[in-house]
Amino acid sequence: MDRIRTILLPGSILPAQPAYEALIEALGLGVQAVAKDLELYAGDEPPSGWSLDTEVDGVLRQADALGWETFHLVGYSGGGSAALAFAARHPDRLLSLALLEPAWAGNWDWSPGHTELWKKYGQLEALPPEQFLPAFIRLGVKPDAVLPPPPPEPPPPWMAKRPAGIKAFLRSLKDYDLERERLAAFPRPVFYALGGMSNPDAYGEIASRLARVFFPDFHLEVFPKRHHFDPPHRIEPGRLAELLRRHWEQAEASYAAGPTAVPLRGSH
């Protein structure tokens, strides 16, 4: 029996391997999971002219190098935004999409709370690096969420790239056109994992908007005790792995049954 093929995109802080190590182990031998780092951090500075399209092209190169014509795509936070951009541009390459609290999901239909949140993200730009990351992290969770303490050892070398990378990410989204109509035409199942302690004006709002876009084949799973910075792929990998395997198996069965089994979109 063929193994399930998936590419996993991390967020804008942890590199792919430590981010997904526990999940890959929980997925087991039946899944060929490739944790791919963001192109954003390929060099010492963000690439000139970086946008989500840079990440889309990187995923395409990775899939082609693996010889994968079709595959499942998983993205967390910034990687979730890149996964959405990939689904809009190359829907024919995907068997399914799984989103673990994407950091951003288009500039349309924002709620007042989401609009206010992005104003606060914009205000972070002026902060020095040592203040930027703590303030950025706090915006992603509910006020009563407990954040993990900083590790006692010195930060790893890759951490020095993160403030500039996150700022480049936030700036680029102001002009990026993630087309709602193209997402609405995406014909494959979409899974969304949401932390109950994450900022609802961020990731809950995005879940609500994408549920309307991807209706009817959108599945939301809530992890009540999790938030954006202790996400299920690291803290509850066993439960998430089970849900993802079910999502992928159903998607592959639908794909094998042919286009008549795929629900029509874009009419809502």
Short mmCIF file of all heavy atoms in Angstrom, two decimals, residues 152-180:
data_model
loop_
_atom_site.label_atom_id
_atom_site.label_comp_id
_atom_site.label_asym_id
_atom_site.label_seq_id
_atom_site.Cartn_x
_atom_site.Cartn_y
_atom_site.Cartn_z
N PRO A 152 16.18 28.52 29.58
CA PRO A 152 17.28 29.11 30.34
C PRO A 152 18.57 29.25 29.53
O PRO A 152 19.39 30.13 29.81
CB PRO A 152 17.48 28.13 31.50
CG PRO A 152 16.89 26.83 31.01
CD PRO A 152 15.77 27.20 30.09
N GLU A 153 18.74 28.37 28.53
CA GLU A 153 19.98 28.43 27.75
C GLU A 153 19.94 29.59 26.75
O GLU A 153 18.85 30.10 26.43
CB GLU A 153 20.22 27.10 27.02
CG GLU A 153 19.16 26.73 26.02
CD GLU A 153 18.02 25.93 26.61
OE1 GLU A 153 17.92 25.83 27.84
OE2 GLU A 153 17.19 25.43 25.82
N PRO A 154 21.08 30.02 26.23
CA PRO A 154 21.10 31.10 25.23
C PRO A 154 20.29 30.72 24.00
O PRO A 154 20.20 29.53 23.65
CB PRO A 154 22.59 31.23 24.89
CG PRO A 154 23.32 30.63 26.04
CD PRO A 154 22.43 29.55 26.58
N PRO A 155 19.66 31.70 23.34
CA PRO A 155 18.87 31.37 22.15
C PRO A 155 19.73 30.78 21.05
O PRO A 155 20.90 31.15 20.90
CB PRO A 155 18.28 32.72 21.73
CG PRO A 155 19.15 33.75 22.37
CD PRO A 155 19.67 33.14 23.62
N PRO A 156 19.17 29.85 20.26
CA PRO A 156 19.93 29.28 19.14
C PRO A 156 20.22 30.34 18.09
O PRO A 156 19.52 31.36 18.00
CB PRO A 156 19.00 28.19 18.59
CG PRO A 156 17.63 28.59 19.05
CD PRO A 156 17.81 29.30 20.35
N PRO A 157 21.23 30.13 17.25
CA PRO A 157 21.61 31.15 16.26
C PRO A 157 20.47 31.55 15.32
O PRO A 157 20.38 32.72 14.94
CB PRO A 157 22.75 30.47 15.49
CG PRO A 157 23.32 29.48 16.44
CD PRO A 157 22.16 28.99 17.26
N TRP A 158 19.61 30.58 14.98
CA TRP A 158 18.54 30.91 14.02
C TRP A 158 17.54 31.92 14.58
O TRP A 158 16.84 32.59 13.81
CB TRP A 158 17.82 29.65 13.54
CG TRP A 158 17.33 28.71 14.61
CD1 TRP A 158 17.91 27.55 15.01
CD2 TRP A 158 16.14 28.85 15.41
NE1 TRP A 158 17.18 26.95 16.02
CE2 TRP A 158 16.08 27.72 16.28
CE3 TRP A 158 15.12 29.80 15.48
CZ2 TRP A 158 15.05 27.53 17.20
CZ3 TRP A 158 14.09 29.62 16.40
CH2 TRP A 158 14.07 28.50 17.24
N MET A 159 17.47 32.04 15.92
CA MET A 159 16.50 32.96 16.50
C MET A 159 16.79 34.41 16.12
O MET A 159 15.87 35.24 16.04
CB MET A 159 16.49 32.80 18.02
CG MET A 159 15.45 33.64 18.74
SD MET A 159 13.74 33.26 18.24
CE MET A 159 13.41 31.86 19.29
N ALA A 160 18.05 34.73 15.83
CA ALA A 160 18.41 36.11 15.48
C ALA A 160 17.74 36.56 14.19
O ALA A 160 17.55 37.77 13.97
CB ALA A 160 19.93 36.23 15.35
N LYS A 161 17.35 35.60 13.34
CA LYS A 161 16.71 35.96 12.06
C LYS A 161 15.22 36.26 12.22
O LYS A 161 14.61 36.83 11.32
CB LYS A 161 16.84 34.80 11.06
CG LYS A 161 18.24 34.37 10.72
CD LYS A 161 18.17 33.23 9.70
CE LYS A 161 19.52 32.67 9.35
NZ LYS A 161 19.41 31.58 8.34
N ARG A 162 14.64 35.85 13.34
CA ARG A 162 13.17 35.85 13.42
C ARG A 162 12.53 37.23 13.43
O ARG A 162 11.54 37.45 12.73
CB ARG A 162 12.72 35.02 14.63
CG ARG A 162 12.48 33.54 14.35
CD ARG A 162 13.50 32.91 13.46
NE ARG A 162 13.11 31.56 13.01
CZ ARG A 162 13.86 30.82 12.24
NH1 ARG A 162 15.03 31.27 11.81
NH2 ARG A 162 13.46 29.63 11.86
N PRO A 163 13.00 38.22 14.21
CA PRO A 163 12.32 39.52 14.16
C PRO A 163 12.26 40.11 12.75
O PRO A 163 11.21 40.58 12.31
CB PRO A 163 13.15 40.38 15.11
CG PRO A 163 13.72 39.40 16.09
CD PRO A 163 14.03 38.18 15.27
N ALA A 164 13.38 40.08 12.02
CA ALA A 164 13.38 40.64 10.66
C ALA A 164 12.47 39.84 9.74
O ALA A 164 11.76 40.40 8.89
CB ALA A 164 14.80 40.66 10.10
N GLY A 165 12.46 38.51 9.92
CA GLY A 165 11.60 37.68 9.08
C GLY A 165 10.13 37.93 9.32
O GLY A 165 9.34 38.03 8.38
N ILE A 166 9.74 38.03 10.60
CA ILE A 166 8.34 38.27 10.92
C ILE A 166 7.90 39.65 10.41
O ILE A 166 6.80 39.82 9.88
CB ILE A 166 8.11 38.14 12.44
CG1 ILE A 166 8.34 36.70 12.88
CG2 ILE A 166 6.68 38.57 12.80
CD1 ILE A 166 8.38 36.51 14.39
N LYS A 167 8.77 40.65 10.56
CA LYS A 167 8.44 41.99 10.06
C LYS A 167 8.26 41.97 8.54
O LYS A 167 7.34 42.60 8.00
CB LYS A 167 9.52 42.99 10.47
CG LYS A 167 9.52 43.32 11.95
CD LYS A 167 10.63 44.29 12.32
CE LYS A 167 10.65 44.58 13.81
NZ LYS A 167 11.71 45.53 14.20
N ALA A 168 9.14 41.25 7.83
CA ALA A 168 9.01 41.14 6.37
C ALA A 168 7.70 40.45 6.01
O ALA A 168 7.02 40.84 5.05
CB ALA A 168 10.19 40.37 5.79
N PHE A 169 7.35 39.43 6.76
CA PHE A 169 6.09 38.71 6.55
C PHE A 169 4.90 39.66 6.72
O PHE A 169 4.03 39.74 5.84
CB PHE A 169 6.01 37.56 7.54
CG PHE A 169 4.77 36.72 7.41
CD1 PHE A 169 4.73 35.63 6.56
CD2 PHE A 169 3.63 37.01 8.15
CE1 PHE A 169 3.59 34.85 6.44
CE2 PHE A 169 2.49 36.25 8.05
CZ PHE A 169 2.46 35.17 7.18
N LEU A 170 4.86 40.39 7.83
CA LEU A 170 3.74 41.29 8.09
C LEU A 170 3.63 42.38 7.02
O LEU A 170 2.53 42.71 6.57
CB LEU A 170 3.88 41.91 9.48
CG LEU A 170 3.79 40.95 10.67
CD1 LEU A 170 4.09 41.68 11.97
CD2 LEU A 170 2.42 40.29 10.74
N ARG A 171 4.77 42.94 6.62
CA ARG A 171 4.74 44.00 5.60
C ARG A 171 4.23 43.48 4.27
O ARG A 171 3.45 44.16 3.58
CB ARG A 171 6.14 44.60 5.42
CG ARG A 171 6.59 45.53 6.52
CD ARG A 171 7.82 46.33 6.11
NE ARG A 171 8.96 45.47 5.83
CZ ARG A 171 9.88 45.14 6.72
NH1 ARG A 171 9.81 45.59 7.96
NH2 ARG A 171 10.89 44.36 6.40
N SER A 172 4.65 42.29 3.88
CA SER A 172 4.31 41.78 2.55
C SER A 172 2.82 41.51 2.40
O SER A 172 2.29 41.55 1.28
CB SER A 172 5.10 40.50 2.27
OG SER A 172 4.57 39.41 3.00
N LEU A 173 2.13 41.24 3.50
CA LEU A 173 0.72 40.85 3.40
C LEU A 173 -0.19 42.03 3.06
O LEU A 173 -1.33 41.82 2.62
CB LEU A 173 0.27 40.23 4.72
CG LEU A 173 1.03 38.95 5.11
CD1 LEU A 173 0.51 38.43 6.44
CD2 LEU A 173 0.90 37.90 4.03
N LYS A 174 0.31 43.25 3.27
CA LYS A 174 -0.53 44.41 2.97
C LYS A 174 -0.92 44.45 1.50
O LYS A 174 -2.01 44.92 1.16
CB LYS A 174 0.21 45.70 3.35
CG LYS A 174 0.51 45.82 4.83
CD LYS A 174 1.36 47.05 5.12
CE LYS A 174 1.74 47.14 6.59
NZ LYS A 174 2.64 48.28 6.89
N ASP A 175 -0.05 43.96 0.63
CA ASP A 175 -0.29 44.05 -0.81
C ASP A 175 -0.53 42.69 -1.47
O ASP A 175 -0.72 42.63 -2.68
CB ASP A 175 0.90 44.72 -1.51
CG ASP A 175 1.17 46.12 -0.98
OD1 ASP A 175 0.19 46.83 -0.73
OD2 ASP A 175 2.34 46.48 -0.80
N TYR A 176 -0.51 41.61 -0.71
CA TYR A 176 -0.65 40.29 -1.33
C TYR A 176 -2.12 40.02 -1.63
O TYR A 176 -3.00 40.23 -0.79
CB TYR A 176 -0.10 39.19 -0.43
CG TYR A 176 -0.01 37.86 -1.16
CD1 TYR A 176 1.08 37.56 -1.96
CD2 TYR A 176 -1.05 36.94 -1.09
CE1 TYR A 176 1.16 36.36 -2.65
CE2 TYR A 176 -0.99 35.74 -1.78
CZ TYR A 176 0.12 35.46 -2.57
OH TYR A 176 0.17 34.28 -3.26
N ASP A 177 -2.38 39.53 -2.83
CA ASP A 177 -3.75 39.27 -3.25
C ASP A 177 -4.04 37.78 -3.17
O ASP A 177 -3.76 37.02 -4.09
CB ASP A 177 -3.96 39.78 -4.68
CG ASP A 177 -5.41 39.63 -5.13
OD1 ASP A 177 -6.29 39.41 -4.27
OD2 ASP A 177 -5.67 39.74 -6.34
N LEU A 178 -4.58 37.36 -2.03
CA LEU A 178 -5.05 35.99 -1.89
C LEU A 178 -6.51 35.99 -2.34
O LEU A 178 -7.40 36.47 -1.63
CB LEU A 178 -4.94 35.53 -0.43
CG LEU A 178 -5.35 34.08 -0.14
CD1 LEU A 178 -4.44 33.09 -0.85
CD2 LEU A 178 -5.36 33.82 1.36
N GLU A 179 -6.76 35.45 -3.51
CA GLU A 179 -8.06 35.61 -4.15
C GLU A 179 -9.10 34.68 -3.53
O GLU A 179 -8.98 33.46 -3.59
CB GLU A 179 -7.94 35.35 -5.65
CG GLU A 179 -7.05 36.32 -6.37
CD GLU A 179 -6.95 36.01 -7.85
OE1 GLU A 179 -7.99 36.01 -8.51
OE2 GLU A 179 -5.82 35.74 -8.32
N ARG A 180 -10.13 35.28 -2.98
CA ARG A 180 -11.21 34.51 -2.36
C ARG A 180 -11.85 33.56 -3.36
O ARG A 180 -12.17 32.40 -3.03
CB ARG A 180 -12.26 35.46 -1.79
CG ARG A 180 -13.34 34.77 -0.96
CD ARG A 180 -14.47 35.73 -0.64
NE ARG A 180 -15.38 35.19 0.37
CZ ARG A 180 -16.29 34.26 0.16
NH1 ARG A 180 -16.42 33.71 -1.05
NH2 ARG A 180 -17.08 33.83 1.13
#
